[in-house]
Amino acid sequence: MSYTRPGFRHPESQKNRLGLTRKAYEGSISTLCAGCGHDSIVSAIITTVFEMSIEPHRIVKLSGIGCSSKTPAYFLNRAHGFNSVHGRMPSVATGANMANRDLIYLGVSGDGDTASIGMGQFAHVVRRNLNMIYICMNNGCYGLTKGQDSATADKGSQTRKGDPVALESIDLCEMAIQLGAGFVARGFSGDKKQLVPMLKAAIAHKGLAFVDVISPCVTFNNAPTSTKSYSWVREHMEVTNTFDFIPLRQEITTEYDHGTTIPVILHDGSIINLCKREDKEVITSRKEAINALEQAKGNRQILTGILYVNPASNDFHDINNTVKTPLNELGEADLCPGNTALQAFNESLR
Ligand SMILES: Cc1ncc(C[n+]2csc(CCOP(=O)(O)OP(=O)(O)O)c2C)c(N)n1
Ligand code: SF4
């Protein structure tokens, strides 16, 4: 059976700065299980790009294999898209990004796709600091292949069959911080209020922005004792900071009157205001971010919020001094500067 999304929208639907309604940012109707956390993340992505007034065709959505990796079909129909082999999204994203640096690269993956078959690719794309947003929809299991434990399932938490997970779990945020990501955040699919500004900040960041979103699999990993279930996360979530994303065109406002506020200026000039609890002052320290994650884990808590930002992050293009123009815009004279230039280049290497 196939479904199509009804074309009708209220004539007075809200429009963004481009004059587009939310409809322009939607995709096909989801075929995921009703209540899957991944669908909530899709909705947050749509809200984010709609509110940021990004032209849909400026986005490249990429994914691997899994229920999570199917989701790019459910948002941004007018964007470019590539559904790659299991765990290989980062290398496809790297190639595309090298060819055209002017687009916005949004990679979507699952914890199986990222932390198992794609672990090598994940590690290197973070290390290279590719200018992309990398979202991991983390449900602690392989949803698409019927709920086997993934490498992010917490040790001791309950598996689908009811046994405790015997192996150490991988914390993708800690890994990303260690490997040099300039922006690392953790959200919860059921907390859109936190997720949307987090995604806006990730899009505004230059370099790799890793966003791990705990996203319960309602079908295979929702036992109340699983640390990726709705009930467990709701009961144990500790929010590091509340924050807002303020595009430069708008007045800067914040509604929070507790704790301190540190403005972090991202590369495109936009600002995120991070309002923190009194006892959490710095988010620009890798050491503190890892300590905070470890401490929360020790207390059996999940730390959410933007965990680490490096305001001086250089992306892969800066590091490799690549040409500023997308390759498809280079003319013959740029691509083939002639024999004299070739000889001079060869001489320089002797
Ligand atoms: C090379 C290869 N090995 C194994 C599979 C089978 N497979 C499909 S999806 C998947 C796991 C997906 O898990 P995850 O990334 O966590 O996504 P979820 O479905 O939970 O969102 C596996 C092992 C495959 N498609 N290709
Ligand atoms: S199997 Fe799990 S991850 Fe896959 S669509 Fe269903 S609820 Fe979502």
Side-chain angles (χ1 to χ4, degrees):
M1 201 188 301
S2 64
Y3 300 90
T4 49
R5 197 181 281 281
F8 176 78
R9 288 294 184 281
H10 195 280
E12 283 168 27
S13 302
Q14 192 196 345
K15 291 194 173 133
N16 64 12
R17 279 202 317 280
L18 300 172
L20 298 174
T21 61
R22 228 183 116 85
K23 186 174 182 298
Y25 295 85
E26 290 172 352
S28 315
I29 283 189
S30 171
T31 56
L32 302 184
C33 310
C36 177
H38 300 353
D39 276 334
S40 311
I41 304 173
V42 166
S43 162
I45 293 172
I46 293 172
T47 305
T48 301
V49 279
F50 164 71
E51 288 183 0
M52 288 181 88
S53 295
I54 296 172
E55 291 164 302
H57 66 268
R58 286 200 53 234
I59 295 184
V60 184
K61 44 179 190 170
L62 307 125
S63 60
I65 299 290
C67 299
S68 37
S69 289
K70 282 164 73 179
T71 63
Y74 314 140
F75 61 85
L76 286 166
N77 258 350
R78 298 195 204 166
H80 309 274
F82 196 103
N83 186 210
S84 79
V85 182
H86 199 11
R88 271 59 177 178
M89 175 271 283
S91 49
V92 178
T94 306
N97 193 311
M98 287 303 104
N100 190 341
R101 60 192 288 168
D102 285 353
L103 300 172
I104 297 167
Y105 292 87
L106 176 61
V108 173
S109 181
D111 44 305
D113 199 61
T114 296
S116 288
I117 197 164
M119 177 54 102
Q121 299 235 335
F122 170 71
H124 287 284
V125 81
V126 173
R127 203 174 144 256
R128 290 179 185 136
N129 210 6
L130 195 75
N131 190 18
M132 72 177 289
I133 305 102
Y134 190 126
I135 299 176
C136 178
M137 301 184 174
N138 189 347
N139 53 18
C141 74
Y142 296 173
L144 191 71
T145 50
K146 308 236 181 307
Q148 302 89 340
D149 300 330
S150 84
T152 65
D154 288 305
K155 191 177 177 183
S157 68
Q158 198 174 332
T159 65
R160 187 185 156 203
K161 283 188 183 163
D163 305 326
V165 173
L167 302 177
E168 278 299 335
S169 78
I170 291 173
D171 187 319
L172 291 168
C173 286
E174 274 190 45
M175 271 198 76
I177 294 167
Q178 277 166 354
L179 290 164
F183 182 105
V184 178
R186 173 165 283 145
F188 174 51
S189 59
D191 188 355
K192 230 171 131 186
K193 202 171 162 206
Q194 184 193 46
L195 193 52
V196 169
M198 193 185 270
L199 291 176
K200 287 180 181 175
I203 290 176
H205 178 79
K206 187 176 173 203
L208 195 124
F210 178 63
V211 186
D212 184 52
V213 190
I214 306 295
S215 174
C217 169
V218 281
T219 305
F220 296 118
N221 198 15
N222 202 25
T225 41
S226 158
T227 55
K228 306 286 186 292
S229 69
Y230 278 109
S231 48
W232 202 95
V233 175
R234 286 220 167 91
E235 275 162 31
H236 296 83
M237 196 160 74
E238 192 198 334
V239 179
T240 49
N241 38 45
T242 45
F243 53 89
D244 204 355
F245 172 87
I246 300 124
L248 286 178
R249 294 165 204 88
Q250 285 174 20
E251 189 187 354
I252 296 172
T253 55
T254 178
E255 287 180 18
Y256 308 106
D257 55 359
H258 57 87
T260 55
T261 302
I262 299 175
V264 177
I265 302 170
L266 300 172
H267 280 100
D268 69 346
S270 57
I271 297 163
I272 44 170
N273 273 334
L274 304 173
C275 309
K276 301 190 185 112
R277 296 185 319 206
E278 249 100 25
D279 60 341
K280 290 251 174 291
E281 261 95 44
V282 186
I283 60 141
T284 50
S285 157
R286 287 165 75 165
K287 205 169 138 204
E288 288 220 4
I290 292 174
N291 283 348
L293 280 163
E294 280 294 315
Q295 206 181 334
K297 216 179 292 172
N299 296 336
R300 288 180 56 78
Q301 285 173 327
I302 292 175
L303 213 53
T304 67
I306 295 181
L307 303 167
Y308 173 69
V309 173
N310 173 9
S313 135
N314 281 327
D315 89 326
F316 196 43
H317 288 285
D318 298 331
I319 297 163
N320 286 291
N321 197 20
T322 61
V323 61
K324 297 237 172 337
T325 318
L327 301 191
N328 66 353
E329 289 173 26
L330 292 175
E332 199 182 331
D334 306 303
L335 294 168
C336 186
N339 229 352
T340 322
L342 179 64
Q343 273 170 14
F345 178 69
N346 283 343
E347 279 306 318
S348 75
L349 298 175
R350 280 186 217 285

mmCIF file of all heavy atoms in Angstrom, residues 4 66 112 118 127 140 163 220 298-299 343:
data_model
loop_
_atom_site.group_PDB
_atom_site.id
_atom_site.type_symbol
_atom_site.label_atom_id
_atom_site.label_comp_id
_atom_site.label_asym_id
_atom_site.label_seq_id
_atom_site.Cartn_x
_atom_site.Cartn_y
_atom_site.Cartn_z
ATOM 1 N N THR A 4 0.059 9.005 -0.029
ATOM 2 C CA THR A 4 0.618 10.307 -0.402
ATOM 3 C C THR A 4 0.120 11.342 0.592
ATOM 4 O O THR A 4 -0.965 11.223 1.140
ATOM 5 C CB THR A 4 0.207 10.761 -1.822
ATOM 6 O OG1 THR A 4 -1.198 10.617 -1.934
ATOM 7 C CG2 THR A 4 0.918 9.976 -2.901
ATOM 8 N N GLY A 66 19.076 1.717 7.805
ATOM 9 C CA GLY A 66 18.417 1.564 9.105
ATOM 10 C C GLY A 66 17.100 2.335 9.075
ATOM 11 O O GLY A 66 16.854 3.093 8.129
ATOM 12 N N GLY A 112 23.471 1.830 15.197
ATOM 13 C CA GLY A 112 24.071 0.662 14.565
ATOM 14 C C GLY A 112 24.906 1.109 13.384
ATOM 15 O O GLY A 112 26.069 0.722 13.226
ATOM 16 N N GLY A 118 29.715 1.391 10.731
ATOM 17 C CA GLY A 118 30.279 2.645 10.223
ATOM 18 C C GLY A 118 31.229 3.323 11.184
ATOM 19 O O GLY A 118 31.564 4.501 10.998
ATOM 20 N N ARG A 127 37.260 13.396 12.811
ATOM 21 C CA ARG A 127 38.661 13.813 12.894
ATOM 22 C C ARG A 127 39.011 14.818 11.790
ATOM 23 O O ARG A 127 39.777 15.741 11.981
ATOM 24 C CB ARG A 127 39.510 12.548 12.744
ATOM 25 C CG ARG A 127 40.862 12.665 13.326
ATOM 26 C CD ARG A 127 41.569 11.336 13.267
ATOM 27 N NE ARG A 127 42.966 11.627 13.001
ATOM 28 C CZ ARG A 127 43.541 11.457 11.825
ATOM 29 N NH1 ARG A 127 42.857 10.963 10.821
ATOM 30 N NH2 ARG A 127 44.799 11.775 11.665
ATOM 31 N N GLY A 140 19.736 2.562 20.763
ATOM 32 C CA GLY A 140 20.382 1.452 21.480
ATOM 33 C C GLY A 140 20.124 0.091 20.857
ATOM 34 O O GLY A 140 20.442 -0.930 21.459
ATOM 35 N N ASP A 163 17.586 -9.851 29.221
ATOM 36 C CA ASP A 163 18.887 -10.065 29.879
ATOM 37 C C ASP A 163 19.613 -8.729 30.013
ATOM 38 O O ASP A 163 19.417 -7.825 29.213
ATOM 39 C CB ASP A 163 19.765 -10.985 28.996
ATOM 40 C CG ASP A 163 19.050 -12.277 28.672
ATOM 41 O OD1 ASP A 163 18.296 -12.740 29.536
ATOM 42 O OD2 ASP A 163 19.241 -12.788 27.547
ATOM 43 N N PHE A 220 11.022 -2.290 19.588
ATOM 44 C CA PHE A 220 11.986 -3.281 20.071
ATOM 45 C C PHE A 220 12.805 -2.865 21.282
ATOM 46 O O PHE A 220 13.527 -3.681 21.836
ATOM 47 C CB PHE A 220 12.948 -3.666 18.939
ATOM 48 C CG PHE A 220 12.255 -4.334 17.799
ATOM 49 C CD1 PHE A 220 12.261 -3.772 16.531
ATOM 50 C CD2 PHE A 220 11.583 -5.535 17.989
ATOM 51 C CE1 PHE A 220 11.627 -4.386 15.475
ATOM 52 C CE2 PHE A 220 10.938 -6.159 16.937
ATOM 53 C CZ PHE A 220 10.957 -5.577 15.674
ATOM 54 N N GLY A 298 27.915 8.027 35.716
ATOM 55 C CA GLY A 298 28.103 7.428 37.040
ATOM 56 C C GLY A 298 26.852 7.565 37.895
ATOM 57 O O GLY A 298 26.546 6.713 38.713
ATOM 58 N N ASN A 299 26.123 8.659 37.693
ATOM 59 C CA ASN A 299 24.876 8.876 38.450
ATOM 60 C C ASN A 299 23.678 8.272 37.724
ATOM 61 O O ASN A 299 22.535 8.573 38.076
ATOM 62 C CB ASN A 299 24.604 10.391 38.608
ATOM 63 C CG ASN A 299 25.674 11.052 39.428
ATOM 64 O OD1 ASN A 299 26.335 10.399 40.213
ATOM 65 N ND2 ASN A 299 25.853 12.354 39.245
ATOM 66 N N GLN A 343 54.829 22.701 -15.539
ATOM 67 C CA GLN A 343 56.288 22.588 -15.397
ATOM 68 C C GLN A 343 56.777 23.292 -14.133
ATOM 69 O O GLN A 343 57.613 22.783 -13.392
ATOM 70 C CB GLN A 343 56.980 23.152 -16.628
ATOM 71 C CG GLN A 343 57.117 22.080 -17.683
ATOM 72 C CD GLN A 343 57.584 22.613 -19.019
ATOM 73 O OE1 GLN A 343 58.061 23.750 -19.104
ATOM 74 N NE2 GLN A 343 57.418 21.823 -20.052
#
